[in-house]
């Protein structure tokens, strides 16, 4: 399995290296002995994302094959561990790499030698789709009888963390595309406050204590962010919107309790 995975992983890297080499352009005015070249460095980011997408797909397919055919608990535990690691890498590294492509798209006017298209933005949704497939495979794997693990609560926590993480990244993505200067302050605080309210509401309706506690913790983090990060550079109107919005959400949460 490791050799099978590595073969295609290395092939993807080799193909992207060839594309990078083919994109090299000799710059005019350089030294004839030591010429200067320019290349499409976005291909490096594309290569990293495609290899990560392949990893998500491979682990998801491995889980489905194990569920349908092999039913091997040892393989299932190894696959589950690798899936959690790959998911964390996607959230922490993959979304960051996609943000680099977003910056290249926003500043595409400065790129004279290479064409920068909408797939610099679109590839993030390909990655999110395969990350969703990975989460679904984790859900099916841990529910399998041969696994013999109670992963229901950890999976729900993982699911909500993933949704909030991707929603925050998506908010920043669109606010950057619209050239908004408050993407890391006002927008995120309101989003986190609304999601905290959602968690607490779900926890109360379904009598799930861990969701209520998670929502309270998230709202506490949002308040700390508000006082120690947001108000440092926000204007008067933005501060007012931030404080009033979170105040209303906090009143609603208090009313629910």
């Amino acid at each position: 399995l490791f050799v099978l995975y590595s073969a295609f992983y290395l092939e993807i890297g080799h193909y992207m290296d060839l594309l990078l080499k083919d994109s090299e352009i000799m710059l005019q005015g350089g030294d004839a002995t030591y010429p200067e070249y320019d290349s499409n460095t976005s291909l490096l980011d594309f290569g990293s994302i495609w290899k990560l997408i392949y990893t998500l797909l491979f682990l998801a397919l491995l889980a489905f094959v194990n569920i349908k055919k092999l039913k091997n608990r040892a393989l299932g535990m190894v696959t589950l561990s690798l899936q959690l690691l790959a998911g964390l890498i996607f959230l922490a590294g993959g979304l960051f790499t996609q943000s680099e492509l977003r910056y290249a798209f926003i500043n595409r006017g400065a790129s004279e030698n290479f064409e920068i298209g909408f797939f610099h933005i679109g590839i993030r949704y390909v990655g999110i789709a395969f990350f969703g497939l990975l989460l679904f495979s984790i859900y099916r794997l841990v529910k399998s009888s041969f696994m013999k693990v109670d992963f229901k609560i950890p999976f729900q926590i993982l699911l909500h963390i993933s949704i909030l993480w991707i929603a925050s990244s998506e908010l920043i993505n669109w606010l950057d595309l619209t050239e908004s200067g408050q993407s890391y302050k006002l927008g995120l605080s309101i989003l986190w406050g609304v999601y905290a309210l959602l968690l607490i509401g779900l926890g109360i309706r379904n009598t799930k204590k861990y969701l209520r506690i998670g929502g309270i913790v998230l709202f506490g983090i949002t308040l700390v962010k508000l006082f120690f990060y947001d108000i440092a550079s926000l204007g008067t109107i933005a501060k007012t919107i931030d404080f009033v919005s979170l105040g209303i959400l906090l009143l609603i949460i208090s009313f629910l309790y």
Side-chain angles (χ1 to χ4, degrees):
L1 286 173
F2 176 73
V3 172
L4 178 64
Y5 166 78
S6 300
F8 289 97
Y9 185 91
L10 294 174
E11 190 63 27
I12 293 173
H14 178 64
Y15 177 72
M16 299 306 297
D17 288 341
L18 288 177
L19 290 182
L20 182 64
K21 183 67 176 178
D22 291 341
S23 71
E24 287 186 350
I25 298 176
M26 183 182 296
L27 299 178
Q28 297 180 354
D31 191 338
T33 306
Y34 302 101
E36 296 182 1
Y37 294 91
D38 188 18
S39 59
N40 188 1
T41 55
S42 290
L43 291 173
L44 295 174
D45 294 327
F46 275 112
S48 298
I49 295 174
W50 280 121
K51 287 189 285 189
L52 184 54
I53 288 174
Y54 163 70
T55 301
L56 300 178
L57 175 62
F58 184 89
L59 292 174
L61 292 179
L62 181 59
F64 289 135
V65 170
N66 194 19
I67 294 169
K68 295 294 184 180
K69 299 293 184 180
L70 303 178
K71 303 184 187 303
N72 186 292
R73 185 176 187 273
L75 178 60
M77 295 302 295
V78 173
T79 303
L80 178 61
S81 300
L82 293 176
Q83 285 176 317
L84 294 176
L85 178 61
L88 178 61
I89 293 174
F90 174 80
L91 293 175
L95 292 178
F96 175 78
T97 303
Q98 291 169 355
S99 70
E100 295 293 315
L101 291 175
R102 177 177 72 247
Y103 294 140
F105 176 80
I106 293 174
N107 300 317
R108 61 189 181 277
S111 178
E112 300 177 353
N113 301 320
F114 309 103
E115 181 180 356
I116 297 179
F118 286 99
F119 198 61
H120 279 65
I121 303 298
I123 194 173
R124 71 181 286 107
Y125 301 106
V126 177
I128 291 173
F130 279 93
F131 179 74
L133 177 65
L134 181 80
L135 288 178
F136 179 68
S137 68
I138 293 175
Y139 172 74
R140 291 292 305 276
L141 183 62
V142 297
K143 284 192 65 178
S144 301
S145 58
F146 67 87
M147 287 294 290
K148 300 177 182 177
V149 292
D150 185 9
F151 201 72
K152 183 178 181 181
I153 293 178
F155 177 78
Q156 290 197 24
I157 294 174
L158 172 66
L159 178 63
H160 285 293
I161 291 176
S162 300
I163 292 175
L164 181 60
W165 200 320
I166 291 176
S168 300
S169 175
E170 192 65 15
L171 176 65
I172 293 173
N173 177 62
W174 283 103
L175 288 177
D176 277 352
L177 289 175
T178 56
E179 299 181 354
S180 172
Q182 308 298 337
S183 58
Y184 296 96
K185 299 181 184 296
L186 176 62
L188 282 181
S189 295
I190 295 177
L191 172 64
W192 292 2
V194 171
Y195 202 84
L197 173 62
L198 174 65
L199 287 177
I200 293 173
L202 289 175
I204 293 175
R205 189 187 69 176
N206 300 324
T207 62
K208 294 181 178 179
K209 182 179 179 180
Y210 61 92
L211 287 182
R212 299 198 304 271
I213 294 176
I216 293 173
V217 170
L218 176 59
F219 207 98
I221 294 173
T222 305
L223 293 177
V224 171
K225 175 179 177 293
L226 171 66
F227 283 102
F228 291 95
Y229 181 68
D230 289 3
I231 64 176
S233 58
L234 286 177
T236 302
I237 296 178
K239 288 179 183 178
T240 303
I241 295 174
D242 213 350
F243 272 92
V244 170
S245 300
L246 293 178
I248 292 174
L249 292 174
L250 192 56
L251 288 174
I252 295 174
I253 291 171
S254 302
F255 174 77
L256 290 177
Y257 260 89

